[in-house]
């Protein structure tokens, strides 16, 4: 990734997470790439399936001065009470869930009514395009060697099927790969 590309991704992350306040759950928190953009008023729960990354997350939270609870686990089984968070963050994470329907159900369960998932996700390119063919070719390797990432994920459809309403949806391409960002609002 070039420095220009990294800068663009950083700006998108900042726009997605900096407005958040209150109790926030980040799914697939990775190495804490979103932490620098979070308000100090956020009380963060970081959910991450990888044990090594969980250790890094704890350190990153301390460095950033954000009260952070680290939970090792998958989005398909969020170990939190119903209606317990004001927002969920997902940046390049929903492509990695094993069971998207179950993950969406769990996210909706954890969110307070009327609250939202703030997301940035890559998605499958339109069918019969070169990029889609490339994504299809790389998908088995990506799923195996890139933390389960499915480059053919249809996150927008999963949100809609689960009953979320999409707001502020933006589509863009990043090095030819289509991405969407916005808010998926939980019903009241």
């Amino acid at each position: 990734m070039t420095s220009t590309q990294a800068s663009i991704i950083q700006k998108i992350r900042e726009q997605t997470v900096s407005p958040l306040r209150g109790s926030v759950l980040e799914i697939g928190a990775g190495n804490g790439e979103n932490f620098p953009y979070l308000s100090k008023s956020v009380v963060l729960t970081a959910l991450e399936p990888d044990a090594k990354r969980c250790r890094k997350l704890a350190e990153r939270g301390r460095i950033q001065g954000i009260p952070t609870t680290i939970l090792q686990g998958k989005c398909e089984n969020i170990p939190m009470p119903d209606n317990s968070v004001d927002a969920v963050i997902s940046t390049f994470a929903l492509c990695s869930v094993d069971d998207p329907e179950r993950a969406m159900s769990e996210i909706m369960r954890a969110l307070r009514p009327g609250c939202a998932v703030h997301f940035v996700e890559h998605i499958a390119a339109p069918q019969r395009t070169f990029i889609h063919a490339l994504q299809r070719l790389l998908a088995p390797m990506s799923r195996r060697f890139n933390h389960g990432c499915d480059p053919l994920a249809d996150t927008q459809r999963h949100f809609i099927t689960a009953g979320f309403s999409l707001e502020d949806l933006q589509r863009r391409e990043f090095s030819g790969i289509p991405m969407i960002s916005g808010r998926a609002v939980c019903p009241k």
Side-chain angles (χ1 to χ4, degrees):
M1 180 181 303
T2 69
S3 62
T4 302
Q5 291 170 327
S7 177
I8 292 168
I9 293 294
Q10 289 172 341
K11 182 179 269 186
I12 294 168
R13 285 180 187 277
E14 182 177 14
Q15 291 169 345
T16 301
V17 303
S18 65
L20 303 180
R21 302 292 183 268
S23 174
V24 176
L25 168 66
E26 181 171 6
I27 59 170
N31 293 318
E33 294 92 342
N34 291 321
F35 286 19
Y37 311 114
L38 288 168
S39 164
K40 300 297 185 211
S41 69
V42 164
V43 176
L44 181 67
T45 300
L47 181 66
E48 172 57 43
D50 185 306
K52 289 180 185 176
R53 285 181 165 189
C54 285
R55 288 189 289 279
K56 290 179 185 179
L57 285 169
E59 179 64 20
R60 189 97 187 242
R62 273 194 300 282
I63 290 169
Q64 295 295 324
I66 297 169
T68 307
T69 300
I70 310 298
L71 299 175
Q72 184 177 354
K74 293 186 171 195
C75 186
E76 293 91 339
N77 189 22
I78 299 172
M80 296 184 74
D82 295 358
N83 306 317
S84 60
V85 294
D86 299 311
V88 172
I89 300 169
S90 177
T91 57
F92 309 107
L94 289 170
C95 60
S96 302
V97 299
D98 295 326
D99 183 347
E101 283 183 25
R102 175 83 178 139
M104 293 294 171
S105 175
E106 279 290 284
I107 291 168
M108 191 175 281
R109 181 190 62 74
L111 268 171
R112 290 188 176 98
C115 292
V117 180
H118 299 257
F119 65 90
V120 179
E121 299 288 342
H122 65 81
I123 57 173
Q127 291 190 13
R128 293 185 283 287
T129 63
F130 172 75
I131 296 295
H132 186 83
L134 186 59
Q135 287 175 314
R136 185 178 292 291
L137 178 69
L138 295 175
M141 289 182 291
S142 180
R143 287 184 201 116
R144 182 171 177 144
F145 297 111
N146 191 18
H147 303 282
C149 174
D150 182 357
L152 297 169
D154 192 353
T155 304
Q156 182 175 344
R157 180 178 58 81
H158 295 309
F159 277 130
I160 292 167
T161 301
F164 288 95
S165 58
L166 297 177
E167 295 182 358
D168 303 324
L169 188 65
Q170 294 182 27
R171 296 177 175 280
R172 51 175 70 92
E173 282 195 9
F174 185 73
S175 299
I177 306 299
M179 292 177 17
I180 58 173
S181 62
R183 295 181 304 129
V185 181
C186 188
K188 291 186 178 186

